[in-house]
Amino acid sequence: MRSAPHSGLARFASHLGWAWLLAAVVSIASGCSGLAYERARLGLTPGEVDRQLNLTTARRTENRIIQYQRDSDGEETSLVFLLANDRRLAGKVMVERRLSSAGFLAKPARYSLVGELDRALYGVDVTGPIDTLRLITQQLRDLPTEAVACNGQKLVLAGLVRILQGQRNVEDLGVSADQLSDLATIAPEGCDAQLSTGADAVVRFGYRVEQVR
């Protein structure tokens, strides 16, 4: 990890703790998607967000921008940018997923998610963090028909549901039972779910699991 981390990661670290954060983002923050996530500051206009993206793998829907990539080794990365009513960037989520591999250079399966949302920009400033996250899952559960947007949105949705499952006394996850069964195959079950709200009213959340199959 760099000795002088970007301010966005530093703010996130102050809420979740450096140990967990380092493990969650060490592999993605140095890549193109990680840089796009970090540079896409909340409050930017869609045009300013576009300049951070690889537009060949990005898709725009009514109220979000989705970038999804899958490399030759099967590793997937998704960025979902949530837009406010005035089209500014109100929230952002990044996911990296890798399936396990066998052989001499075997790799464990890994799923990691990091995200934040400005409740005031998104028009939900009177809701708590759990209700805010549930609202996002409800808005993402209707998947786009276009393949890139669908894959990217589903990759994020799976992790958001896992975070809600990690909260106490939460029964409504914002998705149907059929969807829940499908999403469970994308984000493995784990115990490292994080959800908090800072003094700046920004909800920050994360999820990470790594396992050998």
Side-chain angles (χ1 to χ4, degrees), residues 7 13 24 27 38 50 52 62 75 79 83 86 99 104 107 114 132 137 185 198 213:
S7 60
S27 65
E38 177 60 19
D50 283 346
Q52 311 302 329
E62 181 179 356
E75 295 195 22
L79 287 168
L83 304 180
D86 62 4
L99 298 178
F104 178 70
K107 296 180 179 179
V114 62
T132 297
T137 66
T185 66
R213 294 179 181 176

Side-chain angles (χ1 to χ4, degrees), residues 11-173:
R11 288 194 304 271
F12 194 55
S14 68
H15 291 275
L16 302 187
W18 276 113
W20 185 89
L21 177 65
L22 285 170
V25 302
V26 66
S27 65
I28 60 179
S30 59
C32 293
S33 295
L35 290 174
Y37 175 87
E38 177 60 19
R39 291 172 177 171
R41 300 182 308 277
L42 301 186
L44 294 184
T45 67
E48 290 172 324
V49 174
D50 283 346
R51 288 196 285 272
Q52 311 302 329
L53 300 176
N54 177 358
L55 295 179
T56 61
T57 60
R59 302 292 185 270
R60 190 187 300 275
T61 67
E62 181 179 356
N63 55 3
R64 65 190 67 102
I65 302 171
I66 304 167
Q67 179 176 301
Y68 170 80
Q69 294 175 288
R70 181 185 177 94
D71 66 20
S72 58
D73 293 328
E75 295 195 22
E76 300 171 274
T77 304
S78 176
L79 287 168
V80 172
F81 296 117
L82 304 170
L83 304 180
N85 290 334
D86 62 4
R87 314 304 292 168
R88 286 186 295 163
L89 180 62
K92 57 181 182 177
V93 190
M94 179 174 177
V95 167
E96 183 188 58
R97 178 177 181 250
R98 182 184 70 204
L99 298 178
S100 60
S101 60
F104 178 70
L105 299 177
K107 296 180 179 179
R110 182 180 69 236
Y111 178 101
S112 59
L113 176 152
V114 62
E116 57 184 48
L117 180 131
D118 187 315
R119 293 186 300 169
L121 270 178
Y122 209 54
V124 293
D125 49 309
V126 297
T127 63
I130 291 177
D131 288 336
T132 297
L133 204 64
R134 183 186 295 112
L135 174 64
I136 299 175
T137 66
Q138 291 171 341
Q139 294 176 342
L140 296 185
R141 67 188 177 191
D142 294 327
L143 298 172
T145 56
E146 197 278 332
V148 170
C150 179
N151 290 335
Q153 188 164 306
K154 185 185 261 189
L155 202 61
V156 166
L157 182 61
L160 297 181
V161 168
R162 286 300 192 189
I163 296 174
L164 285 173
Q165 287 179 320
Q167 309 308 306
R168 291 184 178 180
N169 303 318
V170 174
E171 296 182 1
D172 181 4
L173 303 175

